[in-house]
Amino acid sequence: MFPIGVDVDGVQREATEAQTSEAYKRMVAGLLGRRLMIGVDRLDYSKGLVERFRAYERFLEKHPDSQNRVTFLQIAPLSRSDVRAYSAIRQEREQAAGRTNGRFADTDWTPIRYLNRNFPHDVLMSFLRSALVGIVTPVRDGMNLVAKEFVAAQDASDPGVLILSTLAGAARELTGALQVNPYDARAMGNAIEMAFNMPLAERRDRHQQMLDALRRNDIIPSRCASELVVWLEACNRRSISRSSIRTTAHPLFSMRVNSSDPQ
């Protein structure tokens, strides 16, 4: 297994510098001091957004003291908007978010801010950095680099908590996350409550554990590069034809990878 990483230092730099952007300032001002949970995903069947909205609704129902004190920002840019099936999935998610908002919203509070648009990568990183909770709960997925970017973007002195689906590939590395079954609304609701109320010391410990894992696999690990060079040299020595090379896939090329902007 060759885990795909993120540029930890680059993400941290973008997250910090973009806090001067107008988009970031408007987002933070709109929170009115409320704690933030954030999700960033493509509008796609595999991302588990409806299940996520149901879990958040259950959290608000079970913990009424959190109502009007937290905000869930879900960014889900449109993908394949010309396909009828994706129009239907967009409508389903809008209805799920609307149901929660209609049930719990107040004159000065919208529980779910659901945005079908994209943002520049550096602005997204600043949003991730400002969140106390990051939620990545696909029902079927590859590596899911957004989870890693959330960890990398955090302020290590006061980091947020990652809630991560056990079905995401990143779950193998990010063992410091609160890992959940994305089909279990009760468990996800409990994880949201735990994340919002986790003591600082535990948040720091969990974050450091995950950050260490990211740095071991920063972008493309050097061991992958070394093994790839060895493999290519072996191919050259054996005078393998181009067609043979195509059928002799190296693990680095055959692994499943998702785009990180956004997933």
Side-chain angles (χ1 to χ4, degrees), residues 123-221:
V123 173
L124 277 177
M125 296 305 99
S126 69
F127 288 178
L128 295 180
R129 186 179 180 88
S130 67
L132 179 58
V133 181
I135 186 163
V136 182
T137 53
V139 296
R140 175 177 55 82
D141 210 358
M143 186 59 64
N144 202 304
L145 298 183
V146 168
K148 297 186 176 186
E149 289 176 327
F150 175 82
V151 173
Q154 295 305 299
D155 177 357
S157 66
D158 188 19
V161 180
L162 176 63
I163 299 174
L164 183 61
S165 168
T166 56
L167 303 181
R172 296 183 179 182
E173 292 178 85
L174 304 181
T175 55
L178 296 179
Q179 298 197 7
V180 296
N181 178 347
Y183 292 105
D184 189 338
R186 177 185 298 178
M188 281 207 291
N190 291 339
I192 293 171
E193 189 276 334
M194 184 183 301
F196 272 125
N197 295 287
M198 186 177 291
L200 176 60
E202 183 177 354
R203 286 192 277 125
R204 285 175 173 170
D205 288 345
R206 287 176 176 270
H207 176 258
Q208 188 61 56
Q209 180 182 353
M210 292 187 288
L211 191 63
D212 289 344
L214 293 189
R215 290 198 178 279
R216 284 194 298 271
N217 300 303
D218 197 351
I219 302 296
I220 299 177

Side-chain angles (χ1 to χ4, degrees):
M1 169 110 181
F2 297 88
I4 294 297
V6 297
D7 181 357
V8 174
D9 293 331
V11 168
Q12 291 178 344
R13 183 170 56 253
E14 283 188 327
T16 301
E17 293 177 354
Q19 289 180 322
T20 62
S21 68
E22 288 302 314
Y24 173 82
K25 291 177 181 178
R26 289 197 304 271
M27 187 278 291
V28 172
L31 292 175
L32 298 176
R34 298 183 182 93
R35 297 175 295 172
L36 176 65
M37 179 170 76
I38 190 169
V40 180
D41 309 81
R42 290 195 318 272
L43 187 66
D44 190 279
Y45 287 105
S46 67
K47 301 305 177 181
L49 297 189
V50 170
E51 292 80 5
R52 192 179 302 174
F53 291 160
R54 288 172 181 162
Y56 180 63
E57 182 178 11
R58 186 179 184 90
F59 160 73
L60 293 176
E61 180 182 65
K62 187 175 179 182
H63 303 280
D65 55 315
S66 292
Q67 295 175 22
N68 214 335
R69 295 185 178 181
V70 301
T71 294
F72 177 18
L73 173 60
Q74 176 63 56
I75 299 173
L78 298 177
S79 62
R80 306 175 180 90
S81 58
D82 58 332
V83 179
R84 183 176 302 177
Y86 279 86
S87 297
I89 199 172
R90 177 184 181 184
Q91 182 177 13
E92 181 184 19
R93 279 135 186 78
E94 288 174 349
Q95 289 175 348
R99 181 178 62 249
T100 299
N101 287 338
R103 181 179 178 189
F104 295 104
D106 209 334
T107 54
D108 62 343
W109 177 55
T110 303
I112 300 177
R113 295 185 182 183
Y114 180 48
L115 306 181
N116 288 136
R117 56 162 295 188
N118 208 340
F119 292 87
H121 189 265
D122 60 338
V123 173
L124 277 177
M125 296 305 99
S126 69
F127 288 178
L128 295 180
R129 186 179 180 88
S130 67
L132 179 58
V133 181
I135 186 163
V136 182
T137 53
V139 296
R140 175 177 55 82
D141 210 358
M143 186 59 64
N144 202 304
L145 298 183
V146 168
K148 297 186 176 186
E149 289 176 327
F150 175 82
V151 173
Q154 295 305 299
D155 177 357
S157 66
D158 188 19
V161 180
L162 176 63
I163 299 174
L164 183 61
S165 168
T166 56
L167 303 181
R172 296 183 179 182
E173 292 178 85
L174 304 181
T175 55
L178 296 179
Q179 298 197 7
V180 296
N181 178 347
Y183 292 105
D184 189 338
R186 177 185 298 178
M188 281 207 291
N190 291 339
I192 293 171
E193 189 276 334
M194 184 183 301
F196 272 125
N197 295 287
M198 186 177 291
L200 176 60
E202 183 177 354
R203 286 192 277 125
R204 285 175 173 170
D205 288 345
R206 287 176 176 270
H207 176 258
Q208 188 61 56
Q209 180 182 353
M210 292 187 288
L211 191 63
D212 289 344
L214 293 189
R215 290 198 178 279
R216 284 194 298 271
N217 300 303
D218 197 351
I219 302 296
I220 299 177
S222 58
R223 65 182 176 85
C224 287
S226 299
E227 290 181 13
L228 177 58
V229 169
V230 171
W231 179 77
L232 290 174
E233 289 177 344
C235 289
N236 183 57
R237 287 194 302 270
R238 297 170 187 169
S239 300
I240 297 178
S241 66
R242 290 184 179 181
S243 60
S244 297
I245 292 175
R246 284 197 298 268
T247 59
T248 310
H250 188 275
L252 186 61
F253 298 139
S254 61
M255 65 188 301
R256 180 182 175 187
V257 180
N258 285 339
S259 169
S260 63
D261 187 22
Q263 303 218 11

